[in-house]
Amino acid sequence: MGSIYLDHHATTPVDSRVLAAMKPFLETHYANAGSSHLAGRRIRKHVATAREQVANLLGCGVGEVLFTSGATESNNMAIHGVARRSQCQGKHIITSQIEHSAVLFACQALEKEGFEVTYLPVGKDGIVSPGDIKAAIRTGEEGTTDRTVLVSIMGANNEIGTIQPIKEISKICNEASVVFHVDAAQYIGKIPVNVKELGADLMSFSGHKMYAPKGVGGFYFNSASKRMPCIQPIMHGGGQEGGLRPGTLPVPMVVALGKAAQIASSEQEQHNDKERQLRDWLWSSLRSNIEGLKLNGSIEHRLPGNLNICVSGIDAELLMLRLGNIAVSTGSACSGKSSAPSHVLKALGLSDKEAYASVRMGLGRSTTKEQLEVVIKEFTDSVQKLRKLPSLR
Ligand SMILES: Cc1ncc(COP(=O)(O)O)c(C=O)c1O
């Protein structure tokens, strides 16, 4: 068997139907969507179709979807855009300790501009407590750090796959009139989502996590929300996407995202069922083969394709090397180069040693039982061999 890809949280392959849909827009339909000639008008129809496909996946109106380059940009747009627009109301932001760096670093940048940020802890299960959010919301003097203007909590975690209680958090933010943003990069396109039922004001999502290419994503904003101030644009230019995300629309990428959203709308549940069954089987097989395995985060509130386990007595980097053609990971792809232990695992209460011994596996649409049989065998053999070596950390 060739290589086995178990890193679908880092990125997913482009679906062949998505590739086929975008190809004409690279080859022949290359007019600028902003042009007023016939070719430009024709392109605009395809952009409108893509927006409709994404809106259908989200359960929102077409006017509530903006295209961006991905979730990093959408997160920055939301956090900086709301903070700048609302600073005369307040300068306090709430987020969690297990957010992606695109949220954490955007918040840290605002701290340098005089905002105060509360980084809420999570339980051992990797879930943020809605009660903690309620207690952290400040209603003090306007224009100061005594008043909260934004809560930003991820939909699902990229390392441990835990799914946050978004609906409950929305309710709390609604009651307190605080804007609620969700980093939904690992959530939208991975599990069924209806943004209106969830009730958040803003959500960021990413194409390459849902079988579209890297470099495209989007942003949902609830046009009916009373607590939503306008977002101040963080970029300036030609006025595309309502002036919030100026720049020539990357039409092939937008068409690809639309197609990926359409596929996710119709196939997601079936893929989820298969991934969940395979993941549960993988977990029970590994547990019966290897002693001293511990699951990081809740099994119940978890993405169907995610497994993140601590393998006592090994170094996960060495395990990855031994696994060779089996692509698993030791944390998020973004902090993969850092030698620091995962901030997510540390927030769950793991020691450095336990964090360094943890491995993430992300199953996807093309994962098969035959592949996992190989993974179970190789994983078991490698752990047994590594446990015989003296510890390096
Ligand atoms: C939770 C989360 N947020 C944001 C991002 C950044 O997304 P993008 O690569 O589209 O910028 C990622 C990607 O790893 C992610 O997992």
Side-chain angles (χ1 to χ4, degrees), residues 7 31 50 54 83 114 127 272 298 303 315 372 390:
D7 202 14
V54 173
I127 312 279
N272 283 176
S298 159
L303 290 172
D315 184 318
L372 294 186

Side-chain angles (χ1 to χ4, degrees), residues 9-10 69-73 75 100 102 154 156-158 183 185-186 205-209 216 334:
H9 300 297
S69 67
T72 298
E73 185 184 333
N75 285 339
H100 188 270
M154 67 202 323
N157 185 269
N158 47 307
D183 173 1
Q186 299 285 347
F205 51 95
S206 175
H208 74 103
K209 311 291 184 184
V216 68
C334 324

Side-chain angles (χ1 to χ4, degrees), residues 14 17-27 213 251-257 259:
V14 176
R17 292 164 291 180
V18 169
L19 187 61
M22 74 185 285
K23 211 162 162 255
F25 297 88
L26 291 161
E27 288 174 340
V251 177
M253 308 293 267
V254 163
V255 168
L257 181 64
K259 185 68 188 173

